[in-house]
């Protein structure tokens, strides 16, 4: 997921991040729209669709860009894994643009049911596209949501670093995207209460901007009227760096050297030998 296996040029990498993130949002925001506006499904179906969306987005983009699909993960890779800092901002912009377009397609497709369920386009269905403290209903404040996003994204980054580290017990046969998808499902089921597990600045800001442009006047605020939009941007970046640091200093430093060639998929042997 996080390794650029072969240089493809920045334009190709950005295109892959754009499309991969769009796929993620088509499934993620799509399932929330179905649950919130049509009453089809529940929290578990939301968690599973987000996880499957992540898996499919990674399979779409990974060979070209590494399939970060998340600016917080991109920053963590730059801090700890040598990813080029000059690519961080372009990757983040491509990811956010992909999330914007994916959310726009969901908004367009579900126009009728969203308008029927929430004619005023209010907080009631705002959560289809962007997150809110306590999912807009529970007694969680902005700082509680900030804390939650740091913890949730730290878990995400820590486990992604483990899953994609060939010196550790990395999944074989190109199954890493599936395992990362399971990780997102688990985070959604265990850490979805306080802030809707955005754990991804692009996933939240792209759809948030789209919803504001298409009629959700309160898209940048929470149910308390406070400006909330910055929390799912800043907190995940902090959390991803913390998670990456935990992996680097508590796990990575104790792993053996380069993996034995027989332990690697065939496509990776030449790269590490």
């Amino acid at each position: 997921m996080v390794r650029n296996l072969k240089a493809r040029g920045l334009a190709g990498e950005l295109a892959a991040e754009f499309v991969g993130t769009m796929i993620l949002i088509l499934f993620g925001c799509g399932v929330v729209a179905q649950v919130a506006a049509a009453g089809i499904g529940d929290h578990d179906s939301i968690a599973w669709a987000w996880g499957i969306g992540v898996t499919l987005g990674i399979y779409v983009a990974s060979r070209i860009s590494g399939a970060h699909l998340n600016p917080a993960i991109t920053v963590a890779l730059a801090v700890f894994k040598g990813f080029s800092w000059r690519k961080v901002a372009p990757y983040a912009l491509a990811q956010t643009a992909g999330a914007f377009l994916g959310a726009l397609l969901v908004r367009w497709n579900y126009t009728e049911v969203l308008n029927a369920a929430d004619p005023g386009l209010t907080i009631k269905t705002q959560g289809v596209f962007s997150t809110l403290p306590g999912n807009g209903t529970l007694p969680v404040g902005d700082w509680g949501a900030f804390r939650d996003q740091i913890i949730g994204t730290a878990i995400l980054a820590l486990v992604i670093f483990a899953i994609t580290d060939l010196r550790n017990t990395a999944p074989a046969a190109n199954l890493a995207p599936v395992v990362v998808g399971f990780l997102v499902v688990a985070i959604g089921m265990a850490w979805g209460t306080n802030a809707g597990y955005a754990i991804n600045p692009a996933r939240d800001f792209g759809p948030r901007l789209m919803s504001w442009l298409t009629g959700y006047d309160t898209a940048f605020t929470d149910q308390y009227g406070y400006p909330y939009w910055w929390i799912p941007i800043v907190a995940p970046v902090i959390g991803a760096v913390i998670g990456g640091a935990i992996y680097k200093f508590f796990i990575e430093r104790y792993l053996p050297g380069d993996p034995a060639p027989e332990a690697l998929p065939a496509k990776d042997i030449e790269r590490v030998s």
Side-chain angles (χ1 to χ4, degrees):
M1 171 184 175
V2 298
R3 292 171 282 109
N4 189 359
L5 301 179
K6 186 175 180 181
R8 303 287 182 178
L10 182 58
E13 294 172 28
L14 299 183
E17 289 295 307
F18 175 85
V19 177
T21 311
M22 181 186 71
I23 294 296
L24 159 64
I25 296 299
L26 286 174
F27 286 94
C29 287
V31 71
V32 182
Q34 190 165 255
V35 173
I40 299 173
D42 54 21
H43 175 76
D44 286 355
S45 64
I46 290 174
W48 278 107
W50 275 110
I52 293 169
V54 168
T55 294
L56 298 178
I58 295 171
Y59 275 124
V60 166
S62 61
R63 187 69 179 177
I64 300 172
S65 69
H68 304 182
L69 313 186
N70 183 337
I73 296 299
T74 299
V75 169
L77 292 171
V79 172
F80 297 109
K81 296 293 185 179
F83 184 75
S84 173
W85 279 103
R86 71 178 180 85
K87 293 182 180 181
V88 169
Y91 264 53
L93 289 172
Q95 293 154 358
T96 303
F100 181 97
L101 180 58
L104 183 62
L105 290 171
V106 172
R107 176 77 172 87
W108 180 36
N109 188 61
Y110 282 102
T111 296
E112 295 85 358
V113 291
L114 286 169
N115 288 342
D118 183 17
L121 300 179
T122 67
I123 289 287
K124 181 179 178 181
T125 57
Q126 182 177 317
V128 168
F129 302 105
S130 55
T131 58
L132 291 160
N135 294 308
T137 59
L138 299 172
V140 178
D142 286 7
W143 289 110
F146 191 90
R147 175 192 67 231
D148 174 90
Q149 285 301 285
I150 290 175
I151 296 170
T153 317
I155 296 169
L156 177 72
L158 166 61
V159 181
I160 283 177
F161 275 31
I163 290 168
T164 57
D165 189 341
L166 293 178
R167 294 187 301 150
N168 208 327
T169 312
N174 294 321
L175 286 176
V178 176
V179 180
V180 174
F182 282 140
L183 168 62
V184 173
V185 172
I187 291 173
M189 289 183 171
W191 292 88
T193 296
N194 282 7
Y197 69 107
I199 56 176
N200 181 336
R203 168 266 173 274
D204 193 85
F205 186 76
R208 189 181 298 273
L209 177 61
M210 182 286 307
S211 64
W212 181 72
L213 291 172
T214 59
Y216 284 85
D217 293 337
T218 60
F220 287 98
T221 60
D222 59 23
Q223 64 269 34
Y224 310 112
Y226 298 133
Y228 182 77
W229 61 272
W230 63 274
I231 289 178
I233 296 175
V234 175
V237 173
I238 295 171
V241 172
I242 292 173
I246 293 171
Y247 186 77
K248 180 177 180 64
F249 295 111
F250 288 88
I251 302 296
E252 184 180 76
R253 65 187 298 184
Y254 299 111
L255 291 172
D258 288 340
E262 61 270 17
L264 297 177
K267 64 182 176 58
D268 290 323
I269 291 176
E270 182 180 352
R271 185 172 57 82
V272 301
S273 61

Short mmCIF file of all heavy atoms in Angstrom, two decimals, residues 109-164:
data_model
loop_
_atom_site.label_atom_id
_atom_site.label_comp_id
_atom_site.label_asym_id
_atom_site.label_seq_id
_atom_site.Cartn_x
_atom_site.Cartn_y
_atom_site.Cartn_z
N ASN A 109 -26.44 11.36 -6.95
CA ASN A 109 -27.22 10.14 -7.08
C ASN A 109 -28.32 10.04 -6.03
O ASN A 109 -29.40 9.51 -6.30
CB ASN A 109 -26.29 8.92 -6.97
CG ASN A 109 -27.02 7.63 -7.28
OD1 ASN A 109 -27.53 7.43 -8.38
ND2 ASN A 109 -27.09 6.73 -6.31
N TYR A 110 -28.05 10.53 -4.81
CA TYR A 110 -29.02 10.41 -3.73
C TYR A 110 -29.79 11.71 -3.49
O TYR A 110 -30.35 11.90 -2.40
CB TYR A 110 -28.31 9.97 -2.44
CG TYR A 110 -27.99 8.50 -2.42
CD1 TYR A 110 -26.71 8.03 -2.67
CD2 TYR A 110 -28.99 7.56 -2.17
CE1 TYR A 110 -26.42 6.68 -2.66
CE2 TYR A 110 -28.72 6.21 -2.16
CZ TYR A 110 -27.43 5.77 -2.41
OH TYR A 110 -27.17 4.42 -2.40
N THR A 111 -29.86 12.57 -4.49
CA THR A 111 -30.54 13.86 -4.35
C THR A 111 -31.97 13.69 -3.85
O THR A 111 -32.40 14.37 -2.90
CB THR A 111 -30.55 14.61 -5.69
OG1 THR A 111 -29.21 14.92 -6.07
CG2 THR A 111 -31.36 15.90 -5.58
N GLU A 112 -32.72 12.81 -4.47
CA GLU A 112 -34.14 12.69 -4.13
C GLU A 112 -34.35 12.21 -2.70
O GLU A 112 -35.15 12.79 -1.95
CB GLU A 112 -34.84 11.73 -5.12
CG GLU A 112 -34.89 12.21 -6.56
CD GLU A 112 -33.63 11.87 -7.35
OE1 GLU A 112 -32.70 11.28 -6.75
OE2 GLU A 112 -33.59 12.18 -8.55
N VAL A 113 -33.63 11.17 -2.29
CA VAL A 113 -33.87 10.64 -0.95
C VAL A 113 -33.30 11.56 0.13
O VAL A 113 -33.88 11.67 1.22
CB VAL A 113 -33.31 9.21 -0.81
CG1 VAL A 113 -34.11 8.23 -1.65
CG2 VAL A 113 -31.84 9.14 -1.14
N LEU A 114 -32.22 12.23 -0.16
CA LEU A 114 -31.67 13.19 0.81
C LEU A 114 -32.63 14.36 1.01
O LEU A 114 -32.89 14.79 2.13
CB LEU A 114 -30.31 13.71 0.35
CG LEU A 114 -29.13 12.74 0.50
CD1 LEU A 114 -27.90 13.28 -0.23
CD2 LEU A 114 -28.81 12.49 1.97
N ASN A 115 -33.18 14.87 -0.07
CA ASN A 115 -34.12 15.98 0.03
C ASN A 115 -35.42 15.56 0.71
O ASN A 115 -36.04 16.34 1.44
CB ASN A 115 -34.43 16.55 -1.36
CG ASN A 115 -33.26 17.33 -1.93
OD1 ASN A 115 -32.37 17.73 -1.20
ND2 ASN A 115 -33.26 17.53 -3.24
N ALA A 116 -35.83 14.32 0.49
CA ALA A 116 -37.05 13.84 1.14
C ALA A 116 -36.83 13.64 2.64
O ALA A 116 -37.70 13.96 3.46
CB ALA A 116 -37.51 12.54 0.49
N ALA A 117 -35.67 13.10 3.00
CA ALA A 117 -35.39 12.84 4.41
C ALA A 117 -35.05 14.11 5.18
O ALA A 117 -35.32 14.20 6.38
CB ALA A 117 -34.23 11.85 4.53
N ASP A 118 -34.49 15.08 4.49
CA ASP A 118 -34.01 16.29 5.16
C ASP A 118 -34.14 17.48 4.20
O ASP A 118 -33.14 17.94 3.63
CB ASP A 118 -32.55 16.09 5.58
CG ASP A 118 -31.98 17.26 6.35
OD1 ASP A 118 -32.76 18.09 6.86
OD2 ASP A 118 -30.74 17.35 6.44
N PRO A 119 -35.36 18.00 4.01
CA PRO A 119 -35.57 19.06 3.02
C PRO A 119 -34.70 20.30 3.25
O PRO A 119 -34.32 20.98 2.30
CB PRO A 119 -37.06 19.40 3.18
CG PRO A 119 -37.66 18.17 3.77
CD PRO A 119 -36.62 17.60 4.66
N GLY A 120 -34.38 20.58 4.50
CA GLY A 120 -33.57 21.77 4.79
C GLY A 120 -32.08 21.54 4.67
O GLY A 120 -31.29 22.49 4.82
N LEU A 121 -31.67 20.31 4.39
CA LEU A 121 -30.25 19.96 4.30
C LEU A 121 -29.51 20.45 5.55
O LEU A 121 -28.67 21.34 5.52
CB LEU A 121 -29.61 20.54 3.03
CG LEU A 121 -30.25 20.07 1.70
CD1 LEU A 121 -29.55 20.73 0.52
CD2 LEU A 121 -30.20 18.55 1.58
N THR A 122 -29.82 19.81 6.65
CA THR A 122 -29.34 20.23 7.96
C THR A 122 -28.36 19.22 8.54
O THR A 122 -27.91 18.29 7.86
CB THR A 122 -30.54 20.37 8.92
OG1 THR A 122 -31.09 19.05 9.15
CG2 THR A 122 -31.62 21.27 8.35
N ILE A 123 -28.08 19.38 9.82
CA ILE A 123 -27.23 18.44 10.55
C ILE A 123 -27.74 17.01 10.43
O ILE A 123 -26.96 16.05 10.48
CB ILE A 123 -27.16 18.84 12.04
CG1 ILE A 123 -26.35 20.12 12.22
CG2 ILE A 123 -26.60 17.73 12.90
CD1 ILE A 123 -24.87 19.94 12.04
N LYS A 124 -29.03 16.86 10.23
CA LYS A 124 -29.64 15.53 10.18
C LYS A 124 -28.95 14.63 9.14
O LYS A 124 -28.74 13.44 9.38
CB LYS A 124 -31.13 15.64 9.87
CG LYS A 124 -31.85 14.29 9.81
CD LYS A 124 -33.34 14.49 9.53
CE LYS A 124 -34.05 13.13 9.43
NZ LYS A 124 -35.51 13.30 9.12
N THR A 125 -28.63 15.18 7.97
CA THR A 125 -27.95 14.39 6.93
C THR A 125 -26.58 14.93 6.58
O THR A 125 -25.92 14.39 5.68
CB THR A 125 -28.80 14.32 5.65
OG1 THR A 125 -29.07 15.65 5.18
CG2 THR A 125 -30.11 13.58 5.91
N GLN A 126 -26.12 15.95 7.27
CA GLN A 126 -24.77 16.46 7.02
C GLN A 126 -23.73 15.39 7.25
O GLN A 126 -22.69 15.33 6.56
CB GLN A 126 -24.50 17.66 7.93
CG GLN A 126 -23.14 18.31 7.73
CD GLN A 126 -22.97 19.53 8.61
OE1 GLN A 126 -23.88 20.34 8.76
NE2 GLN A 126 -21.81 19.65 9.24
N GLY A 127 -23.99 14.50 8.20
CA GLY A 127 -23.05 13.43 8.51
C GLY A 127 -22.89 12.41 7.40
O GLY A 127 -22.00 11.56 7.48
N VAL A 128 -23.71 12.47 6.36
CA VAL A 128 -23.49 11.62 5.20
C VAL A 128 -22.13 11.93 4.58
O VAL A 128 -21.44 11.04 4.09
CB VAL A 128 -24.62 11.83 4.17
CG1 VAL A 128 -24.26 11.17 2.84
CG2 VAL A 128 -25.93 11.29 4.71
N PHE A 129 -21.75 13.20 4.61
CA PHE A 129 -20.56 13.63 3.89
C PHE A 129 -19.38 13.99 4.79
O PHE A 129 -18.24 13.85 4.39
CB PHE A 129 -20.92 14.82 3.00
CG PHE A 129 -22.00 14.50 2.02
CD1 PHE A 129 -23.30 14.97 2.20
CD2 PHE A 129 -21.76 13.68 0.94
CE1 PHE A 129 -24.31 14.65 1.32
CE2 PHE A 129 -22.75 13.35 0.04
CZ PHE A 129 -24.04 13.83 0.23
N SER A 130 -19.64 14.48 5.98
CA SER A 130 -18.54 14.88 6.86
C SER A 130 -18.88 14.50 8.29
O SER A 130 -20.04 14.26 8.63
CB SER A 130 -18.30 16.39 6.74
OG SER A 130 -19.48 17.13 7.01
N THR A 131 -17.86 14.47 9.12
CA THR A 131 -18.05 13.98 10.48
C THR A 131 -18.43 15.10 11.44
O THR A 131 -18.24 16.28 11.17
CB THR A 131 -16.76 13.31 10.98
OG1 THR A 131 -15.68 14.25 10.93
CG2 THR A 131 -16.43 12.11 10.12
N LEU A 132 -18.96 14.70 12.58
CA LEU A 132 -19.40 15.62 13.63
C LEU A 132 -19.05 15.02 14.98
O LEU A 132 -18.98 13.80 15.13
CB LEU A 132 -20.92 15.83 13.56
CG LEU A 132 -21.47 16.59 12.36
CD1 LEU A 132 -22.95 16.31 12.18
CD2 LEU A 132 -21.22 18.08 12.53
N PRO A 133 -18.83 15.84 15.99
CA PRO A 133 -18.59 15.28 17.33
C PRO A 133 -19.81 14.51 17.80
O PRO A 133 -20.95 14.98 17.69
CB PRO A 133 -18.33 16.52 18.19
CG PRO A 133 -18.91 17.66 17.43
CD PRO A 133 -18.80 17.31 15.99
N GLY A 134 -19.58 13.30 18.30
CA GLY A 134 -20.70 12.48 18.74
C GLY A 134 -21.67 12.15 17.64
O GLY A 134 -22.84 11.87 17.90
N ASN A 135 -21.19 12.18 16.38
CA ASN A 135 -22.05 11.93 15.22
C ASN A 135 -23.25 12.85 15.18
O ASN A 135 -24.31 12.51 14.63
CB ASN A 135 -22.49 10.46 15.17
CG ASN A 135 -21.33 9.52 14.92
OD1 ASN A 135 -20.57 9.69 13.97
ND2 ASN A 135 -21.16 8.53 15.78
N GLY A 136 -23.11 14.03 15.78
CA GLY A 136 -24.16 15.04 15.72
C GLY A 136 -25.25 14.90 16.75
O GLY A 136 -26.12 15.76 16.84
N THR A 137 -25.21 13.83 17.55
CA THR A 137 -26.30 13.60 18.51
C THR A 137 -25.83 13.32 19.93
O THR A 137 -26.55 13.62 20.89
CB THR A 137 -27.16 12.41 18.05
OG1 THR A 137 -26.34 11.25 17.94
CG2 THR A 137 -27.80 12.70 16.69
N LEU A 138 -24.66 12.74 20.10
CA LEU A 138 -24.20 12.34 21.42
C LEU A 138 -23.45 13.47 22.13
O LEU A 138 -22.92 14.37 21.48
CB LEU A 138 -23.31 11.10 21.30
CG LEU A 138 -23.99 9.87 20.69
CD1 LEU A 138 -22.98 8.78 20.42
CD2 LEU A 138 -25.09 9.37 21.61
N PRO A 139 -23.39 13.43 23.46
CA PRO A 139 -22.79 14.54 24.22
C PRO A 139 -21.26 14.52 24.20
O PRO A 139 -20.59 14.29 25.21
CB PRO A 139 -23.33 14.31 25.63
CG PRO A 139 -23.52 12.83 25.73
CD PRO A 139 -23.97 12.41 24.36
N VAL A 140 -20.70 14.77 23.02
CA VAL A 140 -19.25 14.84 22.85
C VAL A 140 -18.91 16.21 22.30
O VAL A 140 -19.51 16.67 21.33
CB VAL A 140 -18.76 13.75 21.88
CG1 VAL A 140 -17.24 13.87 21.67
CG2 VAL A 140 -19.13 12.37 22.39
N GLY A 141 -17.96 16.88 22.94
CA GLY A 141 -17.55 18.20 22.48
C GLY A 141 -16.42 18.13 21.47
O GLY A 141 -15.90 17.06 21.14
N ASP A 142 -16.01 19.30 20.98
CA ASP A 142 -14.98 19.36 19.95
C ASP A 142 -13.64 18.81 20.43
O ASP A 142 -12.94 18.12 19.68
CB ASP A 142 -14.81 20.80 19.47
CG ASP A 142 -15.98 21.25 18.60
OD1 ASP A 142 -16.96 20.50 18.49
OD2 ASP A 142 -15.90 22.35 18.04
N TRP A 143 -13.28 19.09 21.67
CA TRP A 143 -12.00 18.60 22.16
C TRP A 143 -12.03 17.09 22.41
O TRP A 143 -11.02 16.40 22.25
CB TRP A 143 -11.56 19.36 23.40
CG TRP A 143 -11.17 20.76 23.05
CD1 TRP A 143 -11.83 21.91 23.36
CD2 TRP A 143 -10.06 21.17 22.23
NE1 TRP A 143 -11.20 23.00 22.81
CE2 TRP A 143 -10.11 22.57 22.12
CE3 TRP A 143 -9.03 20.48 21.60
CZ2 TRP A 143 -9.17 23.31 21.40
CZ3 TRP A 143 -8.08 21.20 20.87
CH2 TRP A 143 -8.16 22.60 20.78
N GLY A 144 -13.19 16.57 22.77
CA GLY A 144 -13.32 15.12 22.85
C GLY A 144 -13.14 14.48 21.48
O GLY A 144 -12.51 13.43 21.35
N ALA A 145 -13.70 15.11 20.46
CA ALA A 145 -13.53 14.62 19.10
C ALA A 145 -12.08 14.74 18.65
O ALA A 145 -11.56 13.86 17.96
CB ALA A 145 -14.45 15.40 18.15
N PHE A 146 -11.42 15.83 19.03
CA PHE A 146 -10.01 16.02 18.69
C PHE A 146 -9.16 14.89 19.27
O PHE A 146 -8.33 14.29 18.57
CB PHE A 146 -9.55 17.38 19.23
CG PHE A 146 -8.20 17.81 18.74
CD1 PHE A 146 -8.08 18.55 17.58
CD2 PHE A 146 -7.05 17.50 19.43
CE1 PHE A 146 -6.85 18.97 17.11
CE2 PHE A 146 -5.80 17.91 18.98
CZ PHE A 146 -5.70 18.65 17.81
N ARG A 147 -9.39 14.59 20.53
CA ARG A 147 -8.68 13.48 21.19
C ARG A 147 -8.93 12.17 20.46
O ARG A 147 -8.00 11.39 20.19
CB ARG A 147 -9.13 13.39 22.64
CG ARG A 147 -8.57 12.20 23.42
CD ARG A 147 -9.32 12.03 24.73
NE ARG A 147 -10.70 11.64 24.53
CZ ARG A 147 -11.76 12.27 25.08
NH1 ARG A 147 -11.60 13.32 25.87
NH2 ARG A 147 -12.99 11.83 24.84
N ASP A 148 -10.19 11.94 20.14
CA ASP A 148 -10.59 10.69 19.48
C ASP A 148 -9.89 10.53 18.14
O ASP A 148 -9.43 9.44 17.80
CB ASP A 148 -12.10 10.70 19.29
CG ASP A 148 -12.60 9.53 18.48
OD1 ASP A 148 -12.90 8.49 19.07
OD2 ASP A 148 -12.69 9.65 17.23
N GLN A 149 -9.80 11.61 17.37
CA GLN A 149 -9.18 11.52 16.06
C GLN A 149 -7.67 11.28 16.14
O GLN A 149 -7.09 10.63 15.28
CB GLN A 149 -9.49 12.78 15.26
CG GLN A 149 -10.91 12.82 14.74
CD GLN A 149 -11.21 11.63 13.85
OE1 GLN A 149 -10.77 11.57 12.71
NE2 GLN A 149 -11.93 10.64 14.38
N ILE A 150 -7.04 11.82 17.15
CA ILE A 150 -5.62 11.53 17.36
C ILE A 150 -5.43 10.04 17.64
O ILE A 150 -4.59 9.37 17.02
CB ILE A 150 -5.05 12.37 18.51
CG1 ILE A 150 -4.97 13.85 18.09
CG2 ILE A 150 -3.66 11.86 18.91
CD1 ILE A 150 -4.54 14.77 19.21
N ILE A 151 -6.23 9.50 18.55
CA ILE A 151 -6.09 8.09 18.92
C ILE A 151 -6.42 7.18 17.73
O ILE A 151 -5.67 6.25 17.40
CB ILE A 151 -7.00 7.75 20.12
CG1 ILE A 151 -6.57 8.54 21.35
CG2 ILE A 151 -6.97 6.24 20.40
CD1 ILE A 151 -7.54 8.45 22.51
N GLY A 152 -7.55 7.44 17.07
CA GLY A 152 -7.97 6.58 15.96
C GLY A 152 -6.98 6.56 14.82
O GLY A 152 -6.68 5.51 14.25
N THR A 153 -6.42 7.74 14.48
CA THR A 153 -5.47 7.78 13.37
C THR A 153 -4.13 7.22 13.78
O THR A 153 -3.40 6.66 12.94
CB THR A 153 -5.32 9.21 12.84
OG1 THR A 153 -6.60 9.84 12.74
CG2 THR A 153 -4.68 9.20 11.46
N ALA A 154 -3.76 7.34 15.05
CA ALA A 154 -2.53 6.70 15.52
C ALA A 154 -2.63 5.18 15.36
O ALA A 154 -1.67 4.52 14.93
CB ALA A 154 -2.27 7.07 16.98
N ILE A 155 -3.78 4.62 15.71
CA ILE A 155 -3.99 3.18 15.50
C ILE A 155 -3.86 2.84 14.03
O ILE A 155 -3.19 1.87 13.65
CB ILE A 155 -5.37 2.77 16.04
CG1 ILE A 155 -5.45 2.97 17.55
CG2 ILE A 155 -5.68 1.32 15.67
CD1 ILE A 155 -6.85 2.84 18.12
N LEU A 156 -4.51 3.64 13.18
CA LEU A 156 -4.47 3.39 11.74
C LEU A 156 -3.03 3.37 11.22
O LEU A 156 -2.61 2.43 10.55
CB LEU A 156 -5.27 4.47 11.01
CG LEU A 156 -5.27 4.41 9.48
CD1 LEU A 156 -6.11 3.23 9.00
CD2 LEU A 156 -5.79 5.71 8.89
N ALA A 157 -2.25 4.41 11.54
CA ALA A 157 -0.89 4.51 11.02
C ALA A 157 0.00 3.41 11.59
O ALA A 157 0.79 2.79 10.85
CB ALA A 157 -0.31 5.88 11.35
N LEU A 158 -0.11 3.16 12.87
CA LEU A 158 0.70 2.12 13.52
C LEU A 158 0.50 0.77 12.84
O LEU A 158 1.47 0.08 12.48
CB LEU A 158 0.35 2.05 15.00
CG LEU A 158 0.83 0.84 15.81
CD1 LEU A 158 2.33 0.76 15.81
CD2 LEU A 158 0.29 0.90 17.24
N VAL A 159 -0.74 0.39 12.64
CA VAL A 159 -1.01 -0.93 12.07
C VAL A 159 -0.68 -0.96 10.58
O VAL A 159 -0.19 -1.98 10.06
CB VAL A 159 -2.47 -1.35 12.35
CG1 VAL A 159 -2.75 -2.73 11.77
CG2 VAL A 159 -2.75 -1.35 13.84
N ILE A 160 -0.91 0.13 9.85
CA ILE A 160 -0.52 0.17 8.44
C ILE A 160 0.98 -0.01 8.30
O ILE A 160 1.47 -0.75 7.43
CB ILE A 160 -0.98 1.48 7.77
CG1 ILE A 160 -2.48 1.42 7.48
CG2 ILE A 160 -0.21 1.73 6.47
CD1 ILE A 160 -3.04 2.70 6.90
N PHE A 161 1.76 0.66 9.15
CA PHE A 161 3.20 0.49 9.09
C PHE A 161 3.58 -0.98 9.32
O PHE A 161 4.49 -1.50 8.67
CB PHE A 161 3.88 1.38 10.14
CG PHE A 161 4.11 2.80 9.68
CD1 PHE A 161 3.25 3.42 8.79
CD2 PHE A 161 5.18 3.52 10.15
CE1 PHE A 161 3.46 4.73 8.36
CE2 PHE A 161 5.42 4.83 9.74
CZ PHE A 161 4.55 5.43 8.84
N ALA A 162 2.89 -1.63 10.24
CA ALA A 162 3.18 -3.05 10.50
C ALA A 162 2.79 -3.93 9.32
O ALA A 162 3.54 -4.82 8.91
CB ALA A 162 2.46 -3.49 11.77
N ILE A 163 1.62 -3.68 8.77
CA ILE A 163 1.11 -4.50 7.68
C ILE A 163 2.00 -4.41 6.45
O ILE A 163 2.18 -5.40 5.72
CB ILE A 163 -0.34 -4.08 7.32
CG1 ILE A 163 -1.30 -4.47 8.45
CG2 ILE A 163 -0.79 -4.68 5.99
CD1 ILE A 163 -2.67 -3.84 8.30
N THR A 164 2.58 -3.23 6.20
CA THR A 164 3.34 -3.02 4.97
C THR A 164 4.84 -3.16 5.16
O THR A 164 5.60 -2.91 4.22
CB THR A 164 3.02 -1.62 4.40
OG1 THR A 164 3.33 -0.61 5.39
CG2 THR A 164 1.56 -1.52 4.00
#
